[in-house]
Amino acid sequence: MTLAGLPEDASKGALSIQLENLQGLLSLAMLMIETNEEHRILQLAATSVPSLANCGLYGAYLEEEGWRSVAGPCTDVSVRSELESQLAVLSRAGGEVAVRHAVWGWAFPLRSSEGHFGFLVVGADRTPTDSGHFLVRILAQQTGIALAKARLHARHRETAEELRGANRALTSTVAALERSQAIHARLTQVTVAGEGLEGIAATAHELTGYPIAVEDRYGNLMAWAGPGQPAPYPKGVPTERAAMMRRVMSEGKPLRAEGRLVVAFRAETGIGLLAIVNPGDTAGEEARVVLEHAATVLSIEFARLRALADTEIRLRRDIVDDLLSGTDEESALARTRVLAYDLDRPHRVIVIEGGSDTHDDRGFFDVVRRMAHDTGVGELTTARRGAIVVLSDVEQGW
């Protein structure tokens, strides 16, 4: 029996060589599959082509990436350009191509179940045997399968890295939220405990490590926590202060100004300023979070104080009105005990009139009330028929 017209001994030798080549291809395919790097897969293909047929790999043309592993004539840009024109009209089954300086050229498709990737372009000085052509075609097919597996692995690796990045970002976000909640809870606890402005400033100092200043809209210091309190406290130029306050209000978030990190808050006088004294501008994101939460708590504290003050003023007015009217004296006495005020002592009724040019009744009332408090004249005040009435339990040079 003969093979392709060869004597029996020759055909046995050819079959043995073919089997050895197929075994080599199988080993090569396994090695390619285990490799997840495209350049390594193409390198294995390039070194294997000459051992399978009397030809060489001139280059691998990948549709998404262009030329890879170029050799021989394909090192010339113009040759690659000519081949690209031929590959563009070639079917995905591949076929013969004209390669400058080569007698024979062929484009073997690189494909797998994932799709078509490109071509292996091989060439030689003479046409290879049918068996050599067949082996190179199998090599191209295995190369395509290995490339598809490597790309799938790369996508999985990218996805895994994206997931790890998302997990890191999520962990960081959760940690920041937990820290923010802890800061807010700590500052709220200070307010609930009634520690006032000083307590809020002290807590902000404790959380940031920086000196904290609480100022009214004009720059007057209302509270300070931390070292280095200046004496006297600088208020700054009024026009510059007003401009800064406008800028802080328009930003609506902490900003740096004159070596400080500042934010505005609502106060009884309108707008106040909370500042981290930070000449070196080293206060970071956590300090900003503390500042924002502290400003919120300060606004709540001032609103609470204002509500309490309004309630107390209203209660004192009602008591004075009841006493002056002579109604329900026992109830008035009970209510003054709630205010921790001793009504059992002798009192005088003081009437203060504002004069004909008084137009701001509320402002006039607030001025008299504060003056009465500051001079120790009395705490029970009411407005009555265009005048302010104060109940006083002290001896004064009236």
Side-chain angles (χ1 to χ4, degrees):
M1 182 179 179
T2 61
L3 179 65
L6 294 176
E8 185 175 353
D9 291 342
S11 65
K12 288 182 178 179
L15 180 60
S16 176
I17 293 173
Q18 191 81 335
L19 289 174
E20 288 179 2
N21 286 332
L22 288 173
Q23 288 177 344
L25 267 177
L26 178 60
S27 299
L28 180 62
M30 295 175 63
L31 184 58
M32 284 180 169
I33 288 296
E34 293 174 356
T35 302
N36 292 317
E37 299 178 0
E38 288 191 9
H39 74 279
R40 175 61 178 158
I41 294 170
L42 293 174
Q43 184 181 33
L44 289 171
T47 56
S48 301
V49 167
S51 64
L52 300 175
N54 294 320
C55 56
L57 178 64
Y58 289 166
Y61 180 76
L62 305 180
E63 290 184 345
E64 296 180 359
E65 303 174 23
W67 289 96
R68 304 280 294 276
S69 300
V70 293
C74 282
T75 56
D76 189 331
V77 176
S78 61
V79 173
R80 295 201 299 270
S81 179
E82 292 172 2
L83 283 169
E84 286 178 23
S85 299
Q86 298 178 66
L87 295 176
V89 298
L90 200 63
S91 72
R92 292 190 173 184
E96 189 171 6
V97 291
V99 182
R100 196 191 310 172
H101 309 306
V103 173
W104 174 84
W106 200 275
F108 292 95
L110 294 168
R111 60 190 176 191
S112 72
S113 59
E114 294 285 323
H116 179 79
F117 302 112
F119 298 94
L120 285 184
V121 178
V122 300
D125 293 334
R126 64 178 184 272
T127 303
T129 63
D130 290 343
S131 62
H133 192 281
F134 171 72
L135 291 173
V136 176
R137 180 177 293 278
I138 294 177
L139 172 65
Q141 184 180 28
Q142 294 303 316
T143 302
I145 294 172
L147 287 174
K149 187 255 182 183
R151 291 185 175 185
L152 180 62
H153 176 78
R155 287 197 298 271
H156 287 169
R157 185 170 53 198
E158 291 175 0
T159 301
E161 182 59 35
E162 289 175 359
L163 288 174
R164 283 192 291 269
N167 285 334
R168 287 193 295 269
L170 181 60
T171 300
S172 176
T173 301
V174 170
L177 286 173
E178 289 177 347
R179 179 59 177 161
S180 178
Q181 289 176 347
I183 290 169
H184 186 70
R186 177 76 178 88
L187 289 164
T188 303
Q189 183 181 14
V190 172
T191 304
V192 172
E195 297 181 27
L197 305 186
E198 291 76 10
I200 295 172
T203 303
H205 167 61
E206 174 189 331
L207 292 171
T208 63
Y210 295 100
I212 302 294
V214 182
E215 303 169 352
D216 66 13
R217 66 185 308 162
Y218 306 108
N220 298 307
L221 184 65
M222 303 171 73
W224 176 279
Q229 178 178 348
Y233 193 78
K235 292 177 58 174
V237 180
T239 54
E240 295 177 357
R241 173 79 180 188
M244 183 189 68
M245 290 297 293
R246 286 193 297 271
R247 187 159 62 94
V248 173
M249 287 299 298
S250 65
E251 288 288 334
K253 61 182 180 180
L255 58 83
R256 300 190 184 278
E258 302 173 356
R260 307 193 305 172
L261 190 63
V262 298
V263 68
F265 64 89
R266 296 285 175 183
E268 183 179 2
T269 56
I271 302 297
L273 198 69
L274 177 64
I276 288 178
V277 182
N278 178 219
D281 285 344
T282 55
E285 184 59 32
E286 185 166 316
R288 289 177 175 270
V289 173
V290 172
L291 202 63
E292 289 179 330
H293 282 306
T296 301
V297 171
L298 278 171
S299 296
I300 295 172
E301 174 67 5
F302 273 106
R304 184 185 70 84
L305 293 175
R306 180 64 181 181
L308 287 175
D310 288 344
T311 300
E312 185 172 344
I313 291 170
R314 185 169 59 254
L315 182 57
R316 292 178 185 274
R317 282 178 174 178
D318 293 343
I319 291 172
V320 176
D321 287 338
D322 287 348
L323 290 173
L324 293 177
S325 302
T327 61
D328 200 1
E329 184 174 332
E330 289 300 323
S331 174
L333 288 170
R335 280 177 285 163
T336 55
R337 293 190 187 101
V338 172
L339 295 173
Y341 187 85
D342 184 8
L343 194 62
D344 291 328
R345 291 174 295 175
H347 283 71
R348 286 184 173 85
V349 177
I350 306 166
V351 179
I352 300 97
E353 295 180 343
S356 59
D357 59 344
T358 301
H359 301 289
D360 184 2
D361 293 339
R362 176 56 189 264
F364 180 48
F365 174 82
D366 287 340
V367 168
V368 173
R369 180 179 59 82
R370 285 196 299 269
M371 291 292 292
H373 171 77
D374 294 344
T375 58
V377 168
E379 299 290 340
L380 298 179
T381 310
T382 187
R384 198 173 179 87
R385 298 176 183 175
I388 309 301
V389 177
V390 180
L391 263 62
S392 176
D393 63 345
V394 298
E395 294 292 338
Q396 290 279 9
W398 302 106

